[in-house]
Amino acid sequence: MSKGPGLYSDIGKKARDLLFKDYHSDQKFTITTYSPTGVAITSSGTKKGDLFVADVNTQLKNKNITTDIKLDTNSNLLTTITVNEPAPGLKTIFSFRVPDQRSGKVEVQYLHDYAGISTSVGLTANPIVNFSGVVGTNVLALGTDVSFDTKIGELTKFNAGLNFTKDDLVASLTVNDKGDALNASYYHAVNRLTNTAVGAEVTHRFSTNENTLTLGTQHALDPLTTMKARVNNFGKANALIQHEWRPKSFFTISGEVDTKAIEKSAKVGLGLALKP
């Protein structure tokens, strides 16, 4: 168990990863290569129906500075510069997108044994300011996540969350969308040797009085192969199998079936991630 409460994004992350990570219904591939000087070049592509989206990302590291440059099929160039540990527990991130001149943003993260803070501000005349903070320990953490638009002088986002971690159990409760959505999630590691875990998430929207319940599980067939499955109260069932056929290289196949409309064709997704 790590020290400190982490960042706000860590609240409920265990359950989210179990229930939603790696599930997809598209064809996706990612290939990473390294130059003799250590520069990492990652090419990825996703086929969604008749649409194909691709990008190329180059990562350069120099001491504690990491620079990521990504070019996509729409000729957008995204640059992210990360400075790790300029001071103990501190991380600084600067990003901008070309040709969008208003996309520049600076983010600062700070991790402490009893707090985790992340704040960002857009580099414009009337920026959007984001702030998230968590206080507590690695057992109990309480946090908030807000965004303020200085142009209109209003809060555009206000979320709050509570996270509880004890041995093999993680439970969280969050209020999102300015109080319109109440979300509760649960994660339990049943057997760490086989990476067996179960999880659940329930969301209630006050504006529509709608409830969404998702249940999921995962289990490692062997040290290199993992199976996951989930189902929600709307009858959508998903399953995937992921195999690490070489270190940090994965082949994933996933599928989705609407149990309330079996006559419809099932959705199947393929994922391939290659690293040398």
Side-chain angles (χ1 to χ4, degrees):
M1 190 179 296
S2 60
K3 292 183 178 181
L7 298 174
Y8 186 85
S9 57
D10 295 323
I11 294 179
K13 186 176 185 300
K14 279 281 191 179
R16 288 197 305 272
D17 286 351
L18 172 65
L19 296 172
F20 304 109
K21 186 178 180 181
D22 295 324
Y23 286 102
H24 55 84
S25 57
D26 308 308
Q27 283 70 54
K28 182 177 181 179
F29 74 87
T30 302
I31 300 175
T32 301
T33 58
Y34 294 90
S35 72
T37 58
V39 177
I41 301 175
T42 301
S43 302
S44 64
T46 303
K47 187 177 185 299
K48 300 180 179 181
D50 295 329
L51 181 65
F52 183 79
V53 180
D55 60 65
V56 177
N57 183 84
T58 301
Q59 185 180 84
L60 305 93
K61 292 185 179 181
N62 182 19
K63 297 181 180 179
N64 65 330
I65 300 176
T66 302
T67 303
D68 290 277
I69 303 173
K70 179 184 289 187
L71 178 66
D72 63 24
T73 49
N74 294 320
S75 298
N76 292 312
L77 184 67
L78 174 63
T79 301
T80 304
I81 302 172
T82 304
V83 182
N84 288 293
E85 298 280 338
L90 195 66
K91 177 187 289 187
T92 303
I93 304 169
F94 171 63
S95 63
F96 61 92
R97 185 186 300 272
V98 178
D100 187 358
Q101 299 178 353
R102 301 179 58 190
S103 62
K105 183 175 70 172
V106 174
E107 179 179 357
V108 177
Q109 297 178 0
Y110 176 69
L111 291 174
H112 185 268
D113 288 350
Y114 301 103
I117 296 172
S118 176
T119 182
S120 67
V121 58
L123 302 179
T124 61
N126 302 109
I128 295 177
V129 180
N130 298 281
F131 172 84
S132 66
V134 180
V135 294
T137 65
N138 55 359
V139 175
L140 185 64
L142 176 66
T144 186
D145 181 27
V146 298
S147 291
F148 182 77
D149 191 332
T150 59
K151 185 176 182 179
I152 61 177
E154 293 182 2
L155 285 174
T156 56
K157 178 176 68 174
F158 181 80
N159 303 326
L162 176 69
N163 202 69
F164 175 76
T165 304
K166 184 63 175 178
D167 298 328
D168 298 328
L169 183 148
V170 182
S172 67
L173 182 68
T174 59
V175 179
N176 304 311
D177 299 335
K178 297 182 180 180
D180 181 55
L182 179 65
N183 179 285
S185 65
Y186 164 85
Y187 171 91
H188 178 60
V190 179
N191 188 328
R192 293 190 181 277
L193 293 177
T194 59
N195 198 27
T196 303
V198 295
E201 180 185 76
V202 58
T203 300
H204 175 77
R205 287 204 168 271
F206 295 99
S207 58
T208 60
N209 201 33
E210 182 181 77
N211 295 312
T212 303
L213 173 64
T214 305
L215 304 173
T217 185
Q218 71 177 24
H219 175 74
L221 300 177
D222 56 54
L224 300 177
T225 308
T226 299
M227 291 187 65
K228 294 174 64 175
R230 74 179 186 204
V231 64
N232 64 23
N233 59 313
F234 298 110
K236 296 290 181 66
N238 299 73
L240 71 79
I241 183 168
Q242 185 176 76
H243 179 67
E244 186 178 10
W245 56 283
R246 57 185 295 180
K248 297 182 180 181
S249 296
F250 299 91
F251 175 74
T252 306
I253 181 170
S254 63
E256 178 183 280
V257 175
D258 188 345
T259 60
K260 295 183 179 180
I262 299 295
E263 69 279 2
K264 294 184 179 180
S265 299
K267 297 180 180 179
V268 178
L270 297 174
L272 181 63
L274 301 175
K275 286 192 176 183

